[in-house]
Amino acid sequence: MISTVLVANRGEIACRIFRTCRELGVRTVAVHSDADENALHTRVADAAVRLPGAASAETYLRGETIVKAAVAAGADAVHPGYGFLSENADFARAVVDAGLTWIGPPPEAIEAMASKTRAKELMGVAPLKQVTEADLPVLVKAAAGGGGRGMRVVRRLADLDAELAAARAEAASAFGDGEVFTEPYVERGRHVEVQILADTHGTVWALGTRDCSLQRRHQKVIEEAPAPGLTEALTQDLYEQAVRAARAVNYVGAGTVEFLVAGGTAHFLEMNTRLQVEHPVTEAVFGVDLVALQLRIAEGHALETDPPRARGHAVEARIYAEDPANGWAPQTGRLHRLAVPDGVRLDTGYTDGDDIGVHYDPMIAKAVAHAPTRAEAVRRLAGALERAAIHGPVTNRDLLVRSLRHEEFTAGRMDTGFYDRHLPGLTEPAPDPLAPLAAALADACRPARSRFGGWRNLPSQPQVKRYAMAGEEHEVRYHHTRTGLTADGVRVVHADAGLVVLEADGVRRRYEVARYGDRVHVGATALTALPRFPDPTAQHAPGSLLAPMPGTVVRVAEGLTEGTAVQAGQPLLWLEAMKMEHKITAPVTGKLAALQVAPGRQVEMGTLLAVVESN
């Protein structure tokens, strides 16, 4: 029997595994980087071991250090979670060699499926050896990759060599392996996967399908189970291929076999030899705890001959600290509040007051809704997200709500190109026009000492406040009267520092208001309180390139020096932030007047990176 589990991971998945361990009476050990010293997963574990450093390469990717931590903490088992070392065969061997129980598949199975090229060969699928014009478009992928790293879509043969080089560089940086390959890119395909579970007694379950077609940068955003609209014959084919993949490598534990479905045919993509981020939708539909089953399998218990029956439908949305309208740029800062309505499962590695840093993935939480039908589950999740309180950095919450309500998604006609087609419409600002007034009235009810100066004009004069909302400035006016606060054209039913009730055109609406410094959250709308007088010094020279987010400069374009001629749109340097690379390009055609950074430099948001003078 396993008594103490060390989770070789962080954040949401570590917290989720700890939850099951507590329910089973198993003690828990966390590992943490210096950046995660006060993270939620560190706080909720029974014991925690420091991994010196902040970057993943010197902390969560140091297998030998983690094994030593497990031994030192008295753990008798290691669960890898997902990401980091979860699909590293050498780490699995090191755990076993240390006399610990590895809660995962055998190292040989991990090794067999670790390279996407070798996995495809095992399943009888050959990657493209020589790309021709007739093969376009193609997808360049990292053989050892995942999460969209080292992946490029190539539509012109002239771009292939440059994209191959870029993919190799990114793959080598992310995975320590620069091998890449090409395969046909299907424009309107669906990403469908099968959850498998196998014990040491020869039983393999195909535990339903999942659809993960809504992706940004080849990373999943919304997932659901079962995958809608599949024929019985196609579903059976998916199950058979998934079980065949598992048996081919003598698989043990939880894993996922991924496919691209197009034209009624399933094309094998890869096998992920670990638990998936989206596993909760399968748990909801089948009424199981996959982590508990992982532990039971690791202890040698047998699965039932047949898996449980599926019930209903489940949908999961990943809440990211990112700005979808600004190139999906990751965001950082204090998460002041995170709360979703009852009836929706929330898996998270954060709680109120935690900081979202620059070192790791920007996912804040996963929200999961389960209902008897797909339509009900989708409606429940969209409504819960719309009413959720997510106060802090910019998130993708509005995008998630609109995606769930988009006619293509509700009809089950989505594919992996969904955001390529619909992103502009899904990110079009649609703030509540009464939100600035609600913010101003709530501010007027705060204690005078907490407001700017606590000043008042004469009662006959309106109070004026300015807010930035959805990229525009809004000025609002209201009056203090003997009967309370008033505003032209709107009836103020109630106003205090946390709640404002307004009636306009006969319709009454409630606005919950929370303020953190100059950031104001009015329901689902975020505003910034503007100063009475703008700062005239907050300016930069024309052509200045500022860091769009905190991160690390990983590469500078080859041969780029001050005075170099550049073309508009030409890549100049690359920033890495939260597991993604972001390309910084020349804003105009001209020459590079200044280059302020070099590879390895860590920068804050707004740092001057370079200056390009136009011709």
Side-chain angles (χ1 to χ4, degrees):
M1 297 287 288
I2 293 171
S3 63
T4 305
V5 171
L6 178 142
V7 176
N9 218 294
R10 64 173 302 277
E12 171 267 324
I13 186 56
C15 292
R16 186 266 169 273
I17 295 168
F18 291 158
R19 185 173 67 242
T20 289
C21 287
R22 284 194 299 272
E23 293 171 356
L24 298 177
V26 175
R27 292 187 296 273
T28 57
V29 179
V31 289
H32 68 86
S33 66
D34 291 339
D36 277 339
E37 182 179 7
N38 296 310
L40 183 60
H41 81 276
T42 306
R43 304 198 304 265
V44 300
D46 295 318
V49 181
R50 176 189 175 226
L51 304 175
S56 299
E58 55 190 6
T59 54
Y60 298 108
L61 291 173
R62 294 288 297 273
E64 70 281 4
T65 305
I66 293 175
V67 171
K68 290 178 182 177
V71 173
D76 56 357
V78 172
H79 193 303
Y82 51 67
F84 292 134
L85 296 171
S86 61
E87 295 181 276
N88 187 302
D90 290 338
F91 178 58
R93 287 194 184 93
V95 169
V96 174
D97 290 346
L100 306 172
T101 298
W102 169 250
I103 305 174
E108 295 76 19
I110 297 174
E111 214 159 43
M113 290 292 183
S115 167
K116 291 179 174 62
T117 52
R118 289 192 291 274
K120 286 179 178 292
E121 290 169 359
L122 193 65
M123 295 294 289
V125 181
L128 292 171
K129 298 297 184 182
Q130 185 69 39
V131 178
T132 67
E133 196 76 41
D135 297 319
L136 297 174
V138 296
L139 187 64
V140 178
K141 299 176 71 172
R149 305 297 300 274
M151 193 175 292
R152 301 285 192 281
V153 177
V154 180
R155 302 182 184 279
R156 299 192 316 150
L157 205 57
D159 299 333
L160 181 62
D161 288 345
E163 295 292 7
L164 284 169
R168 289 189 187 103
E170 188 175 2
S173 172
F175 312 113
D177 183 347
E179 181 187 354
V180 298
F181 66 96
T182 57
E183 64 183 15
Y185 179 66
V186 180
E187 297 279 6
R188 301 295 293 263
R190 289 174 58 188
H191 187 117
V192 177
E193 58 192 33
V194 177
Q195 174 71 57
I196 57 126
L197 202 66
D199 62 20
T200 56
H201 304 274
T203 298
V204 180
W205 285 357
L207 207 58
T209 59
R210 295 189 290 252
D211 189 294
C212 310
S213 296
L214 265 62
Q215 303 177 5
R216 54 94 164 111
R217 292 186 167 183
H218 309 290
Q219 290 183 309
K220 300 162 188 172
V221 177
I222 294 176
E223 305 104 341
E224 60 182 301
L230 301 182
T231 65
E232 186 175 338
L234 180 55
T235 300
Q236 191 59 38
D237 180 43
L238 288 164
Y239 286 172
E240 290 174 359
Q241 288 196 58
V243 171
R244 179 159 58 91
R247 293 197 183 282
V249 294
N250 298 315
Y251 199 80
V252 174
T256 297
V257 185
E258 300 193 343
F259 301 88
L260 185 67
V261 173
T265 302
H267 305 273
F268 172 79
L269 289 176
E270 62 182 300
M271 181 177 184
N272 289 315
T273 53
R274 54 171 168 81
L275 199 65
Q276 292 277 86
V277 178
E278 57 271 21
H279 75 273
V281 292
T282 297
E283 292 183 323
V285 168
F286 285 91
V288 299
D289 183 330
L290 288 173
V291 173
L293 289 170
Q294 283 184 297
L295 266 67
R296 284 184 56 80
I297 289 170
E299 291 176 332
H301 296 286
L303 294 170
E304 298 291 336
T305 303
D306 297 313
R309 294 176 63 87
R311 297 180 59 189
H313 202 96
V315 187
E316 172 182 289
R318 302 189 192 186
I319 304 169
Y320 285 99
E322 66 182 10
D323 186 354
N326 185 27
W328 309 96
Q331 308 291 299
T332 61
R334 179 69 50 85
L335 180 65
H336 299 287
R337 189 177 180 210
L338 174 64
V340 299
D342 293 338
V344 171
R345 170 175 168 175
L346 188 72
D347 284 11
T348 182
Y350 294 96
T351 191
D352 295 0
D354 286 349
D355 289 323
I356 300 171
V358 302
H359 298 288
Y360 312 112
D361 187 273
M363 189 174 75
I364 297 174
K366 305 179 307 194
V368 185
H370 180 238
T373 67
R374 181 178 189 265
E376 291 172 293
V378 170
R379 182 177 64 187
R380 179 175 297 176
L381 183 57
L385 289 170
E386 186 174 49
R387 295 189 299 275
I390 309 173
H391 298 168
V394 173
T395 72
N396 67 336
R397 183 256 298 276
D398 290 347
L399 174 85
L400 296 174
V401 173
R402 293 180 182 184
S403 299
L404 290 166
R405 291 173 173 166
H406 193 279
E407 61 180 1
E408 226 174 78
F409 183 82
T410 57
R413 294 185 287 104
M414 61 285 178
D415 56 66
T416 56
F418 179 83
Y419 287 123
D420 292 336
R421 296 190 300 277
H422 302 303
L423 187 62
L426 293 170
T427 55
E428 184 70 26
D432 190 319
L434 292 179
L437 176 60
L441 296 175
D443 189 53
C445 296
R446 297 166 69 214
R449 65 179 178 274
S450 68
R451 289 182 280 112
F452 182 80
W455 55 275
R456 288 280 195 274
N457 279 338
L458 294 174
S460 60
Q461 297 300 314
Q463 301 288 322
V464 179
K465 285 190 170 62
R466 298 164 50 247
Y467 296 91
M469 181 176 70
E472 296 182 355
E473 183 178 317
H474 295 260
E475 183 177 278
V476 294
R477 298 169 181 265
Y478 61 93
H479 295 265
H480 285 277
T481 70
R482 290 187 179 90
T483 58
L485 296 167
T486 64
D488 293 340
V490 177
R491 179 181 170 224
V492 182
V493 179
H494 171 85
D496 61 39
L499 176 67
V500 175
V501 182
L502 302 176
E503 186 176 296
D505 298 325
V507 179
R508 184 177 295 186
R509 290 184 172 84
R510 293 165 51 91
Y511 296 92
E512 292 187 0
V513 182
R515 180 163 179 167
Y516 312 92
D518 63 355
R519 190 74 165 168
V520 187
H521 292 267
V522 180
T525 302
L527 308 91
T528 301
L530 298 176
R532 294 165 60 199
F533 307 106
D535 180 2
T537 65
Q539 299 179 5
H540 292 277
S544 296
L545 295 172
L546 308 181
M549 76 285 292
T552 302
V553 179
V554 290
R555 301 200 307 280
V556 173
E558 186 176 352
L560 190 68
T561 60
E562 293 183 1
T564 302
V566 297
Q567 298 293 316
Q570 175 183 335
L572 303 181
L573 53 94
W574 288 260
L575 278 181
E576 184 179 83
M578 296 180 171
K579 296 173 62 178
M580 293 190 291
E581 282 196 358
H582 304 268
K583 184 166 53 179
I584 307 299
T585 62
V588 294
T589 297
K591 70 175 182 178
L592 185 67
L595 181 62
Q596 302 291 102
V597 294
R601 163 89 179 272
Q602 289 192 335
V603 297
E604 296 298 321
M605 180 183 293
T607 299
L608 180 63
L609 304 174
V611 178
V612 176
E613 291 181 351
S614 61
N615 288 337

